[in-house]
Amino acid sequence: MLNKFLFTRVDNSPLVVFRVIFGLLIFLEATGAIFTGWVKKTLVDPKFTFNFIGLDFLQPLPGNGMCFYYAVMGIFGLLVMLGYKYRFSIGAYTVMWAGVYFMQKSSYNNHYYLLLLLCFIMFLLPASRYFSLDAKYNPSYKKMSMPRWCTLIVILQVWIVYTYAAVAKLYPDWLDLSVVKMLMVPREHYFLIGGLLQQKWAHIIITYSGILFDLLIVPLLLCRTTRKWAFIASIFFHLFNSFVFHIGIFPYMSMAFALFFFEAETIRSLFLKKKKLYTDHEVIIPNYKKPLLIFGSIYFMVQIALPLRHWLIKDNVLWTEEGHRLSWRMMLRGKSGMISFQVLNHTTGNRYKVNLDDYLSSKQRQRIATKPDMIWQFAQYLKKEYAKKGDSISVYVSTSKVSVNRGPWQDFVKPDIDIANKPWHYFKHEDWIYPYKQDSNKD
């Protein structure tokens, strides 16, 4: 039964078309980051980069090196689209994207994490067996079919993302419209819809349609009777997100996922009219069956477990950020913060305030005020910089206030703790963070 479910050969049209769209989108992601100035602002201009803790060896290339880095990524994305040296091209893009993903957190986005996972999955899939330069130059490489698991792995990954995104919204500040109202205020100037986005009825629709869409879109796409209407709803939902939130390629990537839900015959007739439709439905058990089942089981167990880890860590994840990343907690809250640091130089006996402008970009200064891991990393950075001069220091957060979802300002970091000489705990609460005081009063 399992063999038939996973290893029945099906027409590969959905995967082939998705590869073309995916390659185009990752090409646009890389080149767009250069031309919009994102690379310069995030990776070239800052003196100090907040990488994922433990990956300090990942540092931006000097000068304009990161612009060339992204240009090379763009070339690999184009080669993925064309299906040329596919496995090497998608593998190279995956490694390079992983490098920049783990290199910086100032512009962290759950969608960047999703792209990393998709690159990895696409590396595993036989996506260039048709309508590719690889198949053109090597006719024996061409195939009209693929194992069914190639479709299932994408659907399951997408289902996990949407389900956790829906569940994460089931908390008071989202359900009482506070979060959506806060998100819409900066968009009041938008042409035509800016005023509408400030209306309570719009907030109600956005709040609850967001939950329902995330929770139901995959089951509705899987059901033949609701598939067409679910796809239409998906187009509207993702185009709305693209226009209102300006989140790059990801609304279009999300619409492309629908390819895996429609019948292969439909996809072939729309996009690959010259392709022969595969209908034999052979069951071919590959030599890699056991490694595939073991690896797939471990991979998806990790994907299911990671978003749950914040429940094992003390205090509210909205406050501490501990367990927030890699958890599909998307557009759930707004945080404002203010912070100042003091250095106690044990070598000279002097104590003085740190001028953050000397070390951090404006975006980094904004982020560090509300992110404990970035606060800790900055303290470690100061410690290393002073050590180069032969000085031993302690670093204290003299002032730290944070507001969650425009709630009251609360003390965030304890001022009497030497952050520079505290260890970091990956799966444990940091005791130098003040407890969160739940307060329902909003401004």
Side-chain angles (χ1 to χ4, degrees):
M1 186 70 175
L2 182 63
N3 288 340
K4 184 177 180 179
F5 183 66
L6 295 177
F7 301 111
T8 296
R9 304 291 297 189
V10 296
D11 189 273
N12 60 2
S13 297
L15 178 59
V16 170
V17 177
F18 183 80
R19 185 209 79 230
V20 175
I21 297 173
F22 183 78
L24 175 61
L25 291 175
I26 62 177
F27 163 75
L28 294 174
E29 175 67 27
T31 54
I34 300 172
F35 292 113
T36 60
W38 185 93
V39 174
K40 185 176 186 298
K41 184 178 180 180
T42 306
L43 296 169
V44 176
D45 292 343
K47 299 177 182 178
F48 169 67
T49 304
F50 291 97
N51 53 266
F52 275 61
I53 293 175
L55 300 177
D56 295 348
F57 63 92
L58 290 175
Q59 294 297 324
L61 298 174
N64 290 315
M66 293 309 298
C67 292
F68 293 105
Y69 185 100
Y70 266 77
V72 172
M73 271 206 303
I75 293 172
F76 283 127
L78 197 60
L79 295 179
V80 169
M81 182 184 75
L82 297 173
Y84 182 70
K85 302 293 183 183
Y86 172 74
R87 200 76 67 179
F88 174 77
S89 298
I90 187 62
Y93 195 101
T94 302
V95 171
M96 295 183 75
W97 183 258
V100 293
Y101 174 77
F102 292 115
M103 187 185 295
Q104 67 82 30
K105 293 183 293 191
S106 298
S107 295
Y108 177 83
N109 192 315
N110 275 284
H111 295 141
Y112 297 158
Y113 173 46
L114 177 58
L115 179 55
L116 177 60
L117 296 179
L118 289 174
C119 283
F120 176 67
I121 289 173
M122 288 298 288
F123 174 77
L124 299 177
L125 302 184
S128 63
R129 292 288 190 162
Y130 188 83
F131 197 61
S132 68
L133 293 179
D134 287 346
K136 179 180 180 180
Y137 295 141
N138 182 9
S140 64
Y141 181 74
K142 182 185 294 186
K143 286 189 181 296
M144 303 295 171
S145 65
M146 63 182 179
R148 183 182 282 140
W149 67 263
C150 296
T151 292
L152 298 176
I153 192 174
V154 177
I155 292 175
L156 184 53
Q157 179 66 74
V158 172
W159 202 341
I160 290 171
V161 173
Y162 278 123
T163 300
Y164 276 116
V167 172
K169 291 181 175 70
L170 300 176
Y171 85 102
D173 285 2
W174 183 274
L175 297 175
D176 69 7
L177 315 183
S178 298
V179 174
V180 170
K181 179 181 178 181
M182 177 185 60
L183 291 174
M184 294 303 116
V185 169
R187 294 161 174 83
E188 187 175 9
H189 67 283
Y190 280 15
F191 179 66
L192 289 180
I193 66 169
L196 297 177
L197 294 176
Q198 312 310 312
Q199 303 300 313
K200 184 174 181 179
W201 60 264
H203 300 161
I204 294 173
I205 293 174
I206 295 169
T207 293
Y208 289 97
S209 66
I211 296 173
L212 292 174
F213 180 88
D214 289 344
L215 193 61
L216 299 176
I217 187 60
V218 171
L220 292 177
L221 283 171
L222 285 170
C223 180
R224 181 175 296 182
T225 56
T226 57
R227 185 174 296 144
K228 181 176 70 172
W229 299 109
F231 180 56
I232 293 172
S234 176
I235 293 174
F236 178 82
F237 180 85
H238 291 301
L239 288 180
F240 176 85
N241 282 344
S242 178
F243 181 75
V244 173
F245 297 111
H246 301 158
I247 48 179
I249 68 170
F250 297 98
Y252 307 97
M253 186 86 72
S254 299
M255 286 188 282
F257 290 143
L259 290 164
F260 294 98
F261 293 88
F262 283 91
E263 290 84 356
E265 182 177 2
T266 302
I267 304 303
R268 184 200 64 83
S269 63
L270 288 173
F271 300 104
L272 301 170
K273 296 181 184 298
K274 295 182 179 180
K275 180 180 181 295
K276 180 183 178 181
L277 181 66
Y278 176 84
T279 58
D280 292 346
H281 301 297
E282 296 177 281
V283 179
I284 301 176
I285 310 301
N287 295 329
Y288 59 77
K289 173 188 172 181
K290 187 173 182 180
L292 176 68
L293 293 177
I294 294 173
F295 173 79
S297 299
I298 294 174
Y299 174 83
F300 283 111
M301 282 192 292
V302 170
Q303 284 297 303
I304 292 170
L306 271 180
L308 298 174
R309 71 190 188 281
H310 72 88
W311 292 107
L312 304 177
I313 303 174
K314 183 180 177 181
D315 215 334
N316 192 329
V317 62
L318 293 171
W319 176 252
T320 67
E321 301 283 325
E322 295 165 332
H324 171 79
R325 295 188 180 92
L326 317 183
S327 298
W328 314 121
R329 303 179 59 81
M330 296 176 276
M331 289 190 291
L332 284 178
R333 79 283 187 267
K335 296 178 76 174
S336 302
M338 57 183 74
I339 193 168
S340 62
F341 292 82
Q342 280 193 350
V343 167
L344 173 60
N345 191 322
H346 299 290
T347 305
T348 65
N350 295 327
R351 187 178 187 121
Y352 37 84
K353 183 178 180 179
V354 177
N355 185 355
L356 295 181
D357 293 340
D358 293 338
Y359 299 96
L360 305 177
S361 68
S362 58
K363 177 181 282 190
Q364 289 175 325
R365 293 196 301 273
Q366 180 183 4
R367 295 288 189 272
I368 194 175
T370 62
K371 305 289 189 290
D373 59 334
M374 296 173 73
I375 292 173
W376 181 86
Q377 283 180 283
F378 183 61
Q380 307 309 306
Y381 172 74
L382 291 175
K383 183 179 179 180
K384 292 177 182 177
E385 289 298 298
Y386 276 86
K388 292 177 183 177
K389 299 182 290 187
D391 293 340
S392 173
I393 67 167
S394 293
V395 179
Y396 299 92
V397 176
S398 53
T399 303
S400 180
K401 298 277 188 181
V402 169
S403 169
V404 179
N405 295 337
R406 296 190 173 182
W409 289 91
Q410 299 183 33
D411 292 326
F412 191 47
V413 177
K414 298 175 181 178
D416 57 343
I417 303 295
D418 176 11
I419 306 295
N421 291 293
K422 293 285 287 185
W424 180 259
H425 304 97
Y426 290 93
F427 299 100
K428 183 180 175 183
H429 177 63
E430 302 299 335
D431 59 9
W432 41 269
I433 304 173
Y434 277 114
Y436 181 52
K437 300 175 183 177
Q438 186 70 41
D439 193 316
S440 61
N441 296 321
K442 303 287 190 304
D443 292 342

